[in-house]
Amino acid sequence: MTNSPNRLFILDTNVLMHDPMALFNFEEHDIFISMTVLEELDAGKKGMSEVSRNVRETNRLIDQIISNASFDDIKAGLDLERIHPNKESETLHLGKLFFETEPLIASLPESLPSHKADNHILQTGLALKEHYPNRNVTLVTKDINMRIKSSAVGLHSEDYYNDRVLEDADLLFTGWEVLPEHFFEENFSKMKSWQEDNKTFYELEINDDNLHWFPNQCLISENESGFSAIVRKVDHQSAVLEYMHNFEQSKNSVWGITARNQEQNMAMNFLMDPEIDFVSLLGTAGTGKTLLALAAALEQTLDEGIYNEIIMTRATIPIGDDIGFLPGTEEEKMTPWMGALMDNLEVLTKSDGHATDWEKESTQELLNKRIKIKSLNFMRGRTFQNKFIILDEAQNLTPKQMKTLITRSGEGTKIVCLGNIGQIDSPYLTETTTGLTYIVDRFKYWPHSAHITLRQGERSRLAEYASDNL
């Protein structure tokens, strides 16, 4: 290994367990993988978890890189470009991959036992730093404690940033925007308006104020004019807006539910629109995400017949200690995880108090036939046709898991993702790396998807106060 001007990144095991394609995400800089990392990858390859699958994919990529390479070639560094998916690209300039082909020893504080895997990686990093004083040697790890220890022994370390969708969760697309105070009055004369299928549309020219609009973004006004619209089409010259349907009126209730605020009204417009195939609702506890999604699902499945079945699922990550294995069928095992959905279903199906036991049982039997509870663990290879799929607690999914789920949708299927990035239970995800953030950012340009961030709580005054002050 020469004293190249490029940086040298030492990859920790957790980076490759999280993202096998990390090998190709360091541009022209070199990568170093120690024997300890290879041992930990070998130990983690068994199983059906997402981490195990990532480890096996990493091993396959490394095997491709070293195939037909001599020991001298491995010592000199292997070019990553030759197995990159876009290796024909003229702009692709990747560095080399190096392995620990000879012992690398450096002194560690006596308080750090060298037999521990993490400490051996630190020792390797310090040895490389001594061997190549002219190179910027950096340990890349997703382990916070590892970064703290690395700094304490004098080795520069960084988090793995490439999996971040945004620099800050506050920059995430909300799906709606408050219009300037006199927007409608100032632009009314320039607007072209027409009606089509009992809907009102407006067309206006693009300017500096609306250059940043996205398809299916909601525009709301907070003054007396009450002008609220949805951006249905936007290009470099003009934008087409559709006047928003008002689900706050009792005559427009959905399965007995009316929107309680503007945010819920925006969400209901997309949940009830069959042209929108994917909806993501993000919000804190009590904003009505689950209730709105379930009401729209029941209305369009049982009353309108647009979908033939409702499928509910969620990531099964416990908040406290795991209670162990659960007995029964797939649906019975998932039932304890679906408490939130069951609570909302009870609200939606409650009677006026005069229904007989037979009527209640008939309603429950009908719902059981049309609502199925599925586990995410058995989604691979399936195709869902004409289904209304509700994915709860989506903030606990990785981008790859989210892709796996969404690609299961067949013709006529609608997927609704619900989540709160402030309540992530997975130890491997953050607000900027969760699959929910990823999907909101990637889908905001597609005209058949919509996103709304709900901020106003409607559960109860107690829940709202606790959410704001605890």
Side-chain angles (χ1 to χ4, degrees):
M1 194 187 306
T2 60
N3 263 320
S4 165
N6 294 344
R7 298 178 68 182
L8 176 61
F9 290 101
I10 306 165
L11 299 191
D12 195 2
T13 316
N14 50 52
V15 174
L16 296 170
M17 286 179 163
H18 178 73
D19 180 13
M21 297 305 289
L23 292 168
F24 309 109
N25 289 335
F26 291 88
E27 299 179 345
E28 73 276 12
H29 305 293
D30 296 334
I31 295 172
F32 184 90
I33 296 179
S34 70
M35 282 296 175
T36 303
V37 169
L38 293 177
E39 285 289 329
E40 289 190 316
L41 289 174
D42 184 58
K45 67 185 179 184
K46 296 178 181 178
M48 297 303 295
S49 68
E50 191 69 21
V51 170
S52 299
R53 281 190 283 267
N54 287 342
V55 168
R56 291 193 291 271
E57 178 62 22
T58 299
N59 290 338
R60 281 191 286 268
L61 289 171
I62 293 175
D63 182 56
Q64 282 183 266
I65 294 170
I66 66 172
S67 61
N68 301 321
S70 67
F71 180 67
D72 290 334
D73 293 334
I74 294 173
K75 288 182 68 175
L78 301 172
D79 290 324
L80 288 164
E81 290 179 17
R82 62 193 186 94
I83 69 158
H84 192 277
N86 300 323
K87 59 185 177 182
E88 305 299 329
S89 172
E90 296 180 0
T91 59
L92 188 65
H93 298 291
L94 298 177
K96 293 178 179 290
L97 174 63
F98 293 91
F99 294 93
E100 188 178 356
T101 54
E102 56 188 33
L104 293 168
I105 301 174
S107 59
L108 282 175
E110 293 183 3
S111 56
L112 293 178
S114 58
H115 65 270
K116 291 193 68 174
D118 282 0
N119 296 338
H120 186 268
I121 294 172
L122 290 176
Q123 196 174 37
T124 303
L126 289 172
L128 287 171
K129 184 180 175 183
E130 292 174 8
H131 276 69
Y132 308 103
N134 297 327
R135 299 195 73 172
N136 187 338
V137 178
T138 300
L139 171 66
V140 182
T141 176
K142 294 191 70 64
D143 186 341
I144 296 175
N145 288 332
M146 186 69 159
R147 294 199 296 271
I148 294 171
K149 288 198 292 185
S150 179
S151 300
V153 299
L155 177 63
H156 180 249
S157 63
E158 293 180 3
D159 192 1
Y160 178 62
Y161 296 108
N162 199 266
D163 60 341
R164 291 189 182 181
V165 180
L166 303 165
E167 286 298 318
D168 193 325
D170 291 337
L171 302 175
L172 186 63
F173 177 58
T174 62
W176 54 276
E177 178 183 310
V178 178
L179 292 169
E181 188 174 352
H182 302 292
F183 175 85
F184 187 73
E185 292 82 350
E186 293 173 358
N187 290 276
F188 180 74
S189 59
K190 309 172 194 174
M191 288 183 181
K192 174 186 173 184
S193 63
W194 70 95
Q195 287 195 328
E196 185 179 319
D197 297 330
N198 295 322
K199 299 177 182 177
T200 303
F201 294 89
Y202 302 90
E203 184 176 9
L204 71 159
E205 294 181 0
I206 290 292
N207 55 43
D208 292 339
D209 293 330
N210 48 38
L211 275 173
H212 55 281
W213 287 349
F214 297 96
N216 295 321
Q217 183 176 2
C218 292
L219 308 174
I220 60 174
S221 175
E222 294 186 335
N223 60 12
E224 289 88 11
S225 69
F227 179 74
S228 300
I230 301 171
V231 180
R232 288 304 190 189
K233 183 180 177 184
V234 60
D235 54 34
H236 298 296
Q237 300 173 339
S238 64
V240 175
L241 312 181
E242 179 189 335
Y243 194 78
M244 197 179 297
H245 195 64
N246 188 3
F247 287 97
E248 294 183 57
Q249 297 178 352
S250 56
K251 65 177 181 180
N252 296 327
S253 65
V254 176
W255 202 259
I257 298 296
T258 56
R260 293 192 178 185
N261 54 54
Q262 279 189 315
E263 297 164 7
Q264 289 192 357
N265 187 54
M266 291 184 278
M268 195 62 86
N269 269 270
F270 296 128
L271 291 169
M272 293 298 295
D273 188 348
E275 290 299 312
I276 303 296
D277 299 332
F278 180 84
V279 179
S280 52
L281 300 182
L282 192 153
T284 58
T287 49
K289 306 182 296 294
T290 308
L291 185 65
L292 295 175
L294 199 50
L298 290 168
E299 179 83 14
Q300 294 173 92
T301 302
L302 298 182
D303 288 356
E304 299 179 7
I306 298 174
Y307 308 101
N308 56 33
E309 195 175 60
I310 301 168
I311 294 178
M312 300 179 177
T313 186
R314 58 162 284 175
T316 52
I317 298 177
I319 295 175
D321 294 334
D322 201 337
I323 61 173
F325 293 102
L326 298 172
T329 63
E330 176 190 357
E331 189 153 328
E332 289 170 340
K333 289 176 186 290
M334 286 296 296
T335 301
W337 298 100
M338 309 306 291
L341 293 168
M342 294 299 105
D343 292 343
N344 284 279
L345 191 60
E346 188 176 328
V347 172
L348 291 166
T349 57
K350 68 179 180 181
S351 64
D352 56 5
H354 300 292
T356 64
D357 290 341
W358 180 84
E359 289 173 327
K360 291 177 182 178
E361 289 176 8
S362 299
T363 301
Q364 193 60 45
E365 186 177 348
L366 173 64
L367 293 176
N368 289 340
K369 287 182 178 179
R370 304 299 288 275
I371 300 176
K372 301 298 181 184
I373 298 173
K374 300 292 184 184
S375 170
L376 286 174
N377 298 335
F378 308 108
M379 289 294 187
R380 284 185 183 272
R382 300 199 62 182
T383 301
F384 297 104
Q385 305 276 0
N386 296 107
K387 303 288 192 291
F388 193 108
I389 300 175
I390 300 174
L391 171 60
D392 201 13
E393 304 294 343
Q395 75 275 6
N396 289 319
L397 296 180
T398 66
K400 186 174 287 188
Q401 288 171 324
M402 191 70 82
K403 178 181 178 180
T404 299
L405 175 71
I406 295 175
T407 52
R408 302 304 97 210
S409 57
E411 195 68 32
T413 288
K414 187 187 193 95
I415 295 182
V416 179
C417 287
L418 315 175
N420 175 14
I421 59 174
Q423 290 184 340
I424 296 175
D425 302 315
S426 171
Y428 303 107
L429 297 174
T430 65
E431 291 182 348
T432 57
T433 63
T434 170
L436 183 57
T437 300
Y438 174 79
I439 214 71
V440 169
D441 188 69
R442 294 300 177 93
F443 268 62
K444 64 184 179 184
Y445 302 98
W446 192 46
H448 296 286
S449 71
H451 168 73
I452 293 295
T453 298
L454 302 165
R455 294 176 179 168
Q456 187 173 339
E458 297 290 350
R459 180 172 288 167
S460 70
R461 61 189 179 190
L462 171 60
E464 187 172 358
Y465 182 83
S467 180
D468 293 340
N469 295 278
L470 298 182

